[in-house]
């Protein structure tokens, strides 16, 4: 019998072409589910649901497997091409300029959840069409702890479906640009309050890139957590998903978020984002260990003192 993963995750799997001030990398491993799963894998067993074409390099599949990621939920479509995204960060290191999105195999994707994944205690909905996120929410059932992320693309193109997702999760993770766009507010505290009042999740975490994160609970704004000071940001692609991987990994080891542990969970997210951005694709995670992650969390704890 297949093992039950700690976290079931659904999202995009991609071949990305990314340009930053450190150069251009073509067709490198990317996608929201990939960054999330790689990041969470340092603390938890992830069951990944995603789709690729048969152009997706076998070496990438092996790499994910070597990180203990369960790929029973990975669909490989014969004769089809993997989702491709290209973007650059030449104007602003915190916000990608998207040049091209080629949905390819992603356009007709219907997530199929293996039976053992349905028993996972935690679900992460990485970036993917909100209608598909909703399908997975429904199939996972009411007892599963659900966390979602989103991006500008879906705020613009699928807002009603996205709002349904927000109504059905325990925790919402967004970045500052996304929540400002979503609420049409320039002030983050007000934007956070509006999202909490409308959807009433247990927590809302707003990521501000190099400026850290804000946590909102049911009583309103709770905490600001600093970012790890990082001078060399080579490629920020996937930092948000890696952040979520750190948070969900923490939850898998320590239980659901509460007012006592939420700041520590966010520090794990912050640490994972800070490692990721030091290289292109997932290079920032190579040679990483849980001990190094914990050392960085400790440094972040000291920064907040
Ligand atoms: P992040 O930088 O954390 O927002 O995530 C970057 C990843 O999102 C890249 O690896 C892209 O392949 C992926 N991505 C870009 N556009 C989309 C989209 N429309 N749907 C799902 N994933 C996407």
């Amino acid at each position: 019998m297949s093992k039950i993963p700690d976290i079931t995750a659904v999202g995009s799997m991609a071949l990305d072409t990314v340009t930053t001030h450190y150069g251009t990398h073509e067709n490198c491993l990317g996608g929201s589910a990939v960054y999330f799963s790689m990041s969470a894998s340092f603390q938890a067993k992830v069951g990944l649901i995603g789709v690729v074409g048969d152009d997706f390099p076998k070496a990438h599949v092996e790499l994910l497997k070597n990180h203990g990621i369960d790929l029973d939920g990975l669909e490989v479509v014969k004769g089809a091409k993997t989702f491709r995204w290209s973007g650059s960060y030449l104007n602003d290191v915190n916000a990608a300029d998207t040049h091209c999105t080629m949905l390819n195999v992603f356009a007709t994707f219907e997530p199929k959840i293996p039976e053992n994944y349905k028993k996972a205690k935690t679900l992460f909905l990485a970036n993917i069409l909100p209608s598909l996120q909703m399908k997975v929410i429904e199939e996972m059932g009411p007892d599963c702890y659900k966390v979602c992320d989103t991006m500008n693309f879906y705020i613009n193109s699928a807002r009603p479906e996205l709002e349904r997702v927000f109504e059905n999760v325990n925790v919402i993770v967004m970045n500052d640009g996304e929540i400002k766009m979503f609420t049409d507010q320039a002030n983050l505290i007000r934007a956070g309050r509006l999202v909490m009042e409308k959807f009433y999740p247990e927590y809302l975490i707003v990521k501000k890139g190099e400026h850290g994160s804000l946590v909102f609970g049911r009583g309103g704004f709770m905490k600001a957590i600093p970012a790890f000071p990082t001078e060399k940001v080579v490629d920020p692609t996937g930092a948000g998903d890696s952040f979520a991987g750190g948070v969900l990994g923490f939850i898998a080891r320590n239980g659901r978020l509460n007012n006592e542990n939420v700041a520590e969970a966010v520090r794990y997210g912050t640490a994972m984002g800070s490692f990721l951005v030091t290289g292109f694709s997932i290079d920032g995670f190579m040679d990483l260990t849980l001990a190094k992650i914990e050392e960085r969390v400790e440094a972040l704890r000291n920064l907040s003192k």
Side-chain angles (χ1 to χ4, degrees), residues 82-99:
T82 300
F83 170 66
R84 278 174 168 73
W85 174 81
S86 72
S88 64
Y89 299 86
L90 298 176
N91 298 321
D92 180 357
V93 80
N94 287 312
D97 276 330
T98 292
H99 301 171

Side-chain angles (χ1 to χ4, degrees), residues 154-195:
Y154 299 114
I155 294 172
N156 287 327
S157 65
R159 186 172 177 118
E161 295 85 350
L162 182 61
E163 294 202 356
R164 268 202 79 205
V165 171
F166 283 180
E167 282 160 8
N168 284 282
V169 294
N170 302 79
V171 181
I172 299 174
V173 184
M174 291 174 104
N175 73 32
D176 45 1
E178 290 157 4
I179 196 166
K180 283 180 183 174
M181 176 191 271
F182 185 80
T183 57
D184 203 17
Q185 294 290 335
N187 179 294
L188 282 181
I189 302 296
R190 185 177 304 133
R193 180 171 59 75
L194 292 176
V195 169

Side-chain angles (χ1 to χ4, degrees), residues 88-141:
S88 64
Y89 299 86
L90 298 176
N91 298 321
D92 180 357
V93 80
N94 287 312
D97 276 330
T98 292
H99 301 171
C100 181
T101 302
M102 285 191 280
L103 293 178
N104 297 333
V105 82
F106 209 34
T108 51
F109 178 46
E110 284 281 329
K112 291 172 205 67
I113 314 178
E115 283 309 310
N116 55 321
Y117 286 25
K118 291 185 187 168
K119 298 188 191 124
K121 284 194 185 143
T122 311
L123 169 68
F124 183 66
L125 302 149
N127 273 312
I128 193 170
L129 264 180
S131 55
L132 299 184
Q133 290 181 321
M134 202 54 223
K135 180 178 182 289
V136 176
I137 287 176
E138 279 161 0
E139 283 192 46
M140 290 297 290

